[in-house]
Amino acid sequence: MTAPLVQLVDIPQHGDARGGLSVAELGGALPFLVRRVYWIHGTKPGVSRGFHAHKELRQFCVCVAGSVRMSLFDGRREESVVLDSSAKGLLIGPGLWREIHDFSSDSVLMVLADAEYDESDYIRDREQYIRNAR
Ligand code: T46
């Protein structure tokens, strides 16, 4: 049995009558120490992003507003998931090609990463990625 590419994690919810509060902490929803946070917002209509893999980086993606579709590819199999809830985090380990499509106009995709930005960790050439994945 092959492991699924899409790994969704439940994020504890502590909302009450005042509204929502979601928590991702080490030892809870988060399996790694966070060294960087970024968020993707204001994405223009029809735009897709990503189109790369990481050699080492681990990331935890939460769509905190709106929705996006994340597609993951390991060189053989492709799986896709719609992220539309701040109660679910998508864990993306190293070595997976990712593309992000179908951004809603109000989407905010927050990404927690286990390392600082490093362009040398990216594989941005799909053909090279597929060759390496074999
Ligand atoms: C990923 C997906 C989900 C930085 O300077 N620092 C950063 O931390 C990041 C993430 C980006 N940048 C610069 C590098 C580029 O000049 O911002 C520009 C846009 O980055 P990029 O084209 O890589 O953005 P996406 O949306 O295609 O990919 C991003 C992340 O880079 C990537 O790690 O997994 O979101």
Side-chain angles (χ1 to χ4, degrees), residues 36 38 40 49-50 52 54 59 98 100 117 122 124:
R36 178 166 53 106
Y38 61 92
I40 296 171
R49 304 189 62 124
H52 59 258
H54 284 281
Q59 300 196 108
R98 81 280 325 261
I100 315 151
Y117 178 73
Y122 285 70
R124 292 189 184 271

Side-chain angles (χ1 to χ4, degrees), residues 66-101:
S67 62
V68 303
R69 181 170 61 85
M70 184 77 77
S71 161
L72 300 176
F73 175 59
D74 69 356
R76 291 176 301 126
R77 290 178 298 143
E78 191 263 344
E79 289 178 18
S80 187
V81 63
V82 173
L83 301 178
D84 59 2
S85 165
S86 58
K88 293 279 179 196
L90 175 67
L91 266 178
I92 309 181
L96 287 178
W97 186 266
R98 81 280 325 261
E99 298 177 7
I100 315 151
H101 302 284

Side-chain angles (χ1 to χ4, degrees), residues 6 8 24 28 32 37 51 59 63 85 90 96 105 110 113 125 131:
V6 170
L8 284 175
F32 55 75
V37 181
F51 300 94
Q59 300 196 108
C63 193
S85 165
L90 175 67
L96 287 178
S105 57
M110 181 180 72
D125 181 322
R131 276 197 304 277

